[in-house]
Amino acid sequence: MIEIKDLHAKVEGKPILKGLSLSIKPGEVHAIMGPNGSGKSTLSAVLAGRSDYEVTSGTVTFFGEDLFAMSVEERACAGLMLAFQYPVEIPGVKNVYLLKAALNAQRKARGEPEIEAPAFMKLVREKLQFMKIDNSFLHRAVNEGFSGGEKKRNEILQMLILEPKLVLLDEIDSGLDIDALKVVAEGVNSLRDAGRSFLMITHYQRLLDYIEPDFVHVLNDGQIIKTGDKSLALELEDRGYDWVVEETA
Amino acid sequence: MANEEMEQLVSSEYKQGFVTDIESYTLPPGLDEEVIRYISSKKKEPQWLLDWRLEAFALWKEMHDPQAWANIGYPKIDFQAISYYSAPGAKDKNAPKSLDEVDPKLLETFEKLGIPLHERAALAGVRGVAVDAVFDSVSVGTTFKKELAEAGVIFCSISEAVQDHPELVRKYLGTVVSKTDNFYAALNAAVFTDGSFVFVPKGVTCPMELSTYFRINAANTGQFERTLIICEEGAQVSYLEGCTAPMRDENQLHAAVVELVALDDAYIKYSTVQNWYPGDEEGLGGIYNFVTKRGDCRGDRSKISWTQVETGSAITWKYPSCILRGKDSVGEFYSVAVTNNFQQADTGTKMIHLGEGSRSTIISKGISAGRSNQSYRGLVKILPSAKNARNFTQCDSLLLGDKCGAHTFPYQEIGNATAQVEHEATTSKIGEDQLFYCMQRGISEEDSVNMIVNGFCKDVFQELPMEFAVEAEALLNVTLEGAVG
Amino acid sequence: MKHYAQAFDAFNKNAEDGWLKSQRIAAFARFEHLGFPTPSVEYWKYTDTKALAKREFKLATGYDQQAAAELLKAKGLKLDAHRLVFVDGLLSSELSNLEGLQDAVVIEPLSQALATELELTSGMMGRLAGIDVDVFTALNFAFVSEGVVVRVGANQKVNKPLLVTYLSTATEEVMSHPRILIAAGASSELQLIEHFIGADEAKNFTNRVVEGVMERNAKIHHTLLQQPSDKEWWVGRIQIEQKRDSRYTSHQMNLGGKLVRDDLVCDLNGEGAECDFSGLLFGRNRQHLDIHTLVNHNAPLTNSYETYKTILNDRSQGVFNSKVIVKKDSQKIHAVQNNANLLLSDQAQINAKPELEIYADDVKCAHGATTGQLDMDALFYLMARGIGEEEARGLLTLAFANEVIDKLELPEIYNLVETTVAGQLPHKIELELTQ
């Protein structure tokens, strides 16, 4: 699905990613863990196409296409979705409006007709219920005045409605209490299938108890230095990161 | 978003820019007493009104164009190069007596602009809208007059009102905006040609929305309309004006005066969707929109609410204001102003608090794009008599691109210790994070900008009558089209 | 105007020919050309100088040394500082003390600098506050003869604060036009305190100008304590040019005077430059207090912060006008203006105008201006705790002022301002009890 080869990227002139390679096949769930400053969030930002991150070398193909040749919205329409660590507030723009505009933009890109209002509302209500979010939420402005938990749930709600092919979950667990984390994980798990992949970026092993990964990667100083299965995450939880760094040094 | 992309300017056309090819009688350019006498006689005005016009003209000649203080720039206007009267039809033709007599070309013009000048029965459950249509210097027709008359509401052109209700016109004309108020108000008093007149008697709630549609068609012609709205005790009315003009390379002057009078417990809601031709992307042509609008909350507990969506005109210079004379009277000003290309706007409001317990709210949202410049200029004045007066002002500016300007000039003059006045203002560019977020959901950059800008303006749009809120949002999107890459 | 011409002739006639004399002549011509401002001039809209223009002020020729020493002792700041004292515009060598300066720091009276280092001094004078800036600045230049020159070498932190005290002691109507010139070298640091003190009967007209150029990474902390008598006229201008990464902090404590007008202008000309203004206008009786500030963001990545409070009682009038201009291409700007006003009397009047003029898009600018009364809930709370209403009002008024008073770092100054405000509130506060 996505092939990342020897990716180098800079932020404000400072190299952050230094030769990262990663391949994700349809249906796989990957987790990237690593200490602060290792480049975890830079990876998701680069993949989604933030303009303040500069790719200096390396390639990324998404379904065989050159990802860096695509604009931000083209990447989204092709099925790449970033669930933000800090979802932004957009005053005055209602959630329902954003959802509809996004869904229709993506359908249009796929050559599908716009969704009819009743069908859209039915879909949205169903997903709201699933995420245990009140209907009044639709008429609130995007993330405005939301608690940290509400913002994260909103990200997952959007995911359920837009049904992306590859989801980047950027520290989706940060700031969530255990109940909210369960709801978020349920949302993610409900979408797991053979055609859809996830890349989770996280600091804590806790998330992986609820969303089980197929692969766990350790990111350090802009490179993946170790790859393993779920047990690697548990080991990291126990022993920290230093031993991996030493082992590979 | 790169600035080069920002620079790609409007590609959309101004949809109302067509010219109606119609026979019309237009006075040759120039302004002197004879022109004023001609206008007055054409409208069969009584002597007192002619005298009033001539006095205004004499005073105007002594006054100076106020461009020194407003944050706008334009070449000196040659007032002798403008024609002050243009009416469709031959020179001696009398005005049509009813809508049936109106030239079909005119009806077609308004139809094309989406302004129905017929009285097709309102759909069940939908409130009707009565329309007065003004074409250059004259009103071509007013709909639903009969239905309104049954409710006791007078809605007609001001020329008709001078004929049919001279006592009302004489009682209120010039009492809110005096003929010497400012340079353009004085000019208007001397040469005003048409406009709307609304009178809602005591205790009556006007049964439908009233609307006036102004259309400038003739070249080299100024439009000087004058509108007067009076709500007696306990009366209520919601009024909306719209305006468009053809695309022409020359600048055209529009200098209107609007006076509102609200007596005890009356409520006037005045909404404007201003879409005069803004000039082309090089800044050529467009309307100079120099307008004086003022409401007088004369009565206790009276309320006047101004809502404006300003997207057109090469230059806008207007400050819809409220004089809050009555005890517990309320003034409101909700404004969205959008400037693109080379447009300039200096707009805002004045809230003059005289009455005890008077309250005012100002919400102003300015969006500047292209090479445009926009200023908010507002005055909140609390006089010693206005015990416990309150004001809240929120005034936000959004910048799209690095060639435009957004300026804020709020004046507070407070002379009462019980006053509570709050002013907040912010200026920022459209949030990169917000744009990225929307685009990451697959929405195009242009749609994302429109969405965020509409959200930014929400507080004002929700004040518009429902049917116009949709129109206003669409207008905003058209105006900003191409303002981002 | 006529009497100014006479005074000017008498003053400049015998001066030595040269740069200064010709500059003064040009300045006076400019003053005569402009005349005193009328309210039709936008920047003088709310401050009428008609009454000031009518007075016939003279230049002081001498002063009572003992009275000056007593006034200083009674009201001056007790502070370990380099000291310069001017009485009615004249330097008092007896009361001044500049011992112990570092080698790379020059602090000297302007008269001395003009006599001994004309070339250096003339290069500093009028560069920022030239005769075209404002009519009062021109008038200052026409009559300038005394003041202070400060030159701080690179990397020098001036070892003690510089305290400049201006005493008004004359019983006649005298005028003075002092000027302070500052050249702050790269990475230097200076703490400047100006203290204006008027004897009860003083009727002086003080028209002081400060010009300061700050090199890369220089820091200036400038505190202005204004305590003229309620019969004094006071006009002043501060013009600061800031280069890269420099930081200018200003505290304006406006506590006295009949008519006071302050203009504070910062040109942020280098990336990373920052200015932070705070001030208090505390008006009583028929005082008229006016503060105008202007920040020019001429370079990208510059920040400005302003917090001003006014408390007006009796028939006093306050004017607060702040303006932030962001020039084209000055991107990544942060500017905040805050203004809060408290009217304690129905006859008091405040005119506020926080302006923004912005020609760049990557900016974050915000301003807020509020006028109101004391928080009734807070008042009720205090009264419910057994505090009398009068005292509760006093406490809350002081609390309102504290946001800006708290920014005064030197305890001597902080105490002076706080006790002055507390002691002159309509509901007197005994600070000893409340602290």
Side-chain angles (χ1 to χ4, degrees), chain B residues 124 311 419-420 431:
Chain B
T311 59
Q420 248 176 40

Side-chain angles (χ1 to χ4, degrees), chain C residues 210-227:
Chain C
V210 176
E211 298 180 69
V213 177
M214 300 175 67
E215 298 299 330
R216 205 180 166 119
N217 201 36
K219 288 190 179 62
I220 295 180
H221 309 270
H222 189 174
T223 305
L224 176 58
L225 284 172
Q226 288 163 295
Q227 296 184 287

Side-chain angles (χ1 to χ4, degrees), chain B residues 430-448:
Chain B
I430 193 159
E432 293 281 353
D433 289 347
Q434 295 172 344
L435 262 184
F436 182 71
Y437 190 88
C438 293
M439 287 164 67
Q440 213 296 310
R441 296 300 177 252
I443 302 166
S444 72
E445 184 168 20
E446 189 150 308
D447 287 348
S448 301

Side-chain angles (χ1 to χ4, degrees), chain B residues 408 411-414 419 421 423, chain C residues 42 46 350 352 356 369 371 373:
Chain B
T408 317
Y411 294 72
Q412 287 184 6
E413 300 179 5
I414 296 149
V421 178
H423 173 101
Chain C
E42 179 67 21
Y46 298 114
I350 174 76
L356 296 169
T371 300
Q373 309 85 49

Side-chain angles (χ1 to χ4, degrees), chain C residues 91-344:
Chain C
L91 175 71
S92 165
S93 318
E94 299 77 21
L95 300 173
S96 302
N97 183 353
L98 293 173
E99 278 167 30
L101 276 171
Q102 301 115 286
D103 288 343
V105 175
V106 173
I107 298 177
E108 60 184 346
L110 178 63
S111 52
Q112 187 181 319
L114 284 168
T116 60
E117 290 170 308
L118 181 63
E119 204 171 321
L120 207 56
T121 313
S122 63
M124 295 167 78
M125 193 146 89
R127 204 184 125 189
L128 298 172
I131 60 175
D132 292 325
V133 168
D134 179 77
V135 57
F136 287 99
T137 310
L139 183 65
N140 172 287
F141 211 146
F143 284 98
V144 70
S145 61
E146 198 49 277
V148 189
V149 174
V150 183
R151 291 199 304 272
V152 188
N155 303 312
Q156 294 293 314
K157 179 178 176 176
V158 181
N159 53 13
K160 282 193 266 184
L162 168 60
L163 171 61
V164 182
T165 308
Y166 307 79
L167 302 172
S168 297
T169 62
T171 46
E172 287 160 46
E173 296 190 314
V174 302
M175 62 176 173
S176 62
H177 303 274
R179 192 175 277 241
I180 296 186
L181 307 174
I182 303 168
S187 299
S188 66
E189 195 170 340
L190 168 71
Q191 161 126 253
L192 169 64
I193 299 145
E194 289 186 275
H195 192 187
F196 292 84
I197 305 170
D200 292 346
E201 290 308 310
K203 306 188 257 296
N204 292 33
F205 166 34
T206 305
N207 174 25
R208 114 48 192 87
V209 171
V210 176
E211 298 180 69
V213 177
M214 300 175 67
E215 298 299 330
R216 205 180 166 119
N217 201 36
K219 288 190 179 62
I220 295 180
H221 309 270
H222 189 174
T223 305
L224 176 58
L225 284 172
Q226 288 163 295
Q227 296 184 287
S229 83
D230 55 11
K231 299 181 190 69
E232 282 191 80
W233 313 82
W234 197 99
V235 176
R237 169 172 294 273
I238 299 168
Q239 291 271 158
I240 305 291
E241 182 190 335
Q242 291 188 243
K243 298 188 182 162
R244 204 183 166 113
D245 297 324
S246 61
R247 186 177 161 83
Y248 172 79
T249 318
S250 162
H251 309 285
Q252 292 167 286
M253 298 292 141
N254 197 323
L255 308 172
K258 176 188 178 73
L259 181 148
V260 177
R261 163 65 178 252
D262 264 303
D263 272 280
L264 171 56
V265 181
C266 265
D267 291 326
L268 302 175
N269 291 352
E271 282 185 19
E274 186 170 287
C275 61
D276 186 344
F277 303 164
S278 62
L280 174 69
L281 284 86
F282 182 57
R284 289 149 293 122
N285 304 323
R286 287 177 177 271
Q287 279 183 283
H288 182 102
L289 309 177
D290 179 348
I291 283 194
H292 272 58
T293 69
L294 169 63
V295 178
N296 288 307
H297 287 266
N298 296 333
L301 291 159
T302 47
N303 300 328
S304 65
Y305 308 97
E306 299 183 46
T307 308
Y308 283 89
K309 298 234 170 179
T310 64
I311 301 173
L312 300 171
N313 198 8
D314 307 322
R315 292 176 171 273
S316 63
Q317 293 199 351
V319 180
F320 173 71
N321 186 326
S322 67
K323 186 167 191 156
V324 167
I325 300 180
V326 178
K327 292 269 156 69
K328 192 172 166 298
D329 299 328
S330 292
Q331 300 291 10
K332 307 216 182 289
I333 300 298
H334 190 203
V336 183
Q337 300 163 292
N338 271 312
N339 165 235
N341 309 302
L342 185 62
L343 299 181
L344 300 180

Side-chain angles (χ1 to χ4, degrees), chain A residues 51-218:
Chain A
S51 58
D52 34 0
Y53 291 76
E54 188 195 345
V55 175
T56 47
S57 69
T59 58
V60 177
T61 55
F62 186 49
F63 290 105
E65 305 268 332
D66 177 4
L67 187 73
F68 297 140
M70 298 159 88
S71 67
V72 177
E73 66 267 34
E74 282 166 352
R75 296 178 199 194
C77 290
L80 185 146
M81 177 173 164
L82 168 61
F84 288 77
Q85 183 179 5
Y86 303 108
V88 68
E89 301 190 359
I90 312 178
V93 176
K94 289 178 182 175
N95 277 302
V96 64
Y97 189 38
L98 175 86
L99 282 170
K100 191 157 179 234
L103 182 59
N104 278 331
Q106 299 201 10
R107 289 174 69 109
K108 206 172 140 197
R110 292 194 295 261
E112 296 168 20
E114 293 204 347
I115 190 167
E116 300 279 334
F120 172 73
M121 286 315 292
K122 186 169 168 282
L123 173 73
V124 170
R125 292 224 175 83
E126 196 184 294
K127 304 299 182 193
L128 279 172
Q129 208 170 9
F130 185 80
M131 290 302 293
K132 302 187 172 62
I133 300 174
D134 192 80
N135 278 347
S136 64
F137 164 90
L138 291 176
H139 296 282
R140 290 167 65 186
V142 176
N143 294 323
E144 196 181 32
F146 283 26
S147 70
E150 280 179 317
K151 284 181 181 171
K152 293 295 169 69
R153 268 195 252 185
N154 192 14
E155 295 295 286
I156 302 302
L157 175 75
Q158 291 178 15
M159 183 186 83
L160 292 178
I161 287 166
L162 299 175
E163 300 188 318
K165 305 241 174 47
L166 173 65
V167 187
L168 311 174
L169 298 164
D170 190 1
E171 310 235 356
I172 197 73
D173 52 333
S174 70
L176 289 188
D177 61 34
I178 203 76
D179 292 330
L181 182 60
K182 278 183 191 162
V183 174
V184 163
E186 259 173 57
V188 171
N189 288 329
S190 76
L191 270 193
R192 281 180 81 155
D193 68 29
R196 186 171 286 116
S197 311
F198 294 85
L199 178 60
M200 293 186 279
I201 288 164
T202 182
H203 212 71
Y204 304 104
Q205 191 270 335
R206 181 179 81 150
L207 176 68
L208 310 184
D209 288 342
Y210 298 93
I211 307 173
E212 267 191 51
D214 302 312
F215 301 96
V216 174
H217 310 278
V218 179

Side-chain angles (χ1 to χ4, degrees), chain B residues 48-61 63 172-192 226 257 259 292 294:
Chain B
W48 67 264
L49 190 50
L50 174 61
D51 292 345
W52 191 76
R53 284 174 180 276
L54 291 173
E55 275 170 46
F57 181 60
L59 292 160
W60 175 76
K61 283 192 287 190
M63 297 166 90
Y172 290 105
L173 185 76
T175 61
V176 184
V177 178
S178 80
K179 58 181 180 288
T180 56
D181 189 87
N182 64 67
F183 184 78
Y184 287 102
L187 178 63
N188 176 286
V191 304
F192 77 88
R226 192 159 187 119
V257 170
E259 298 180 276
T292 307
R294 196 172 301 149

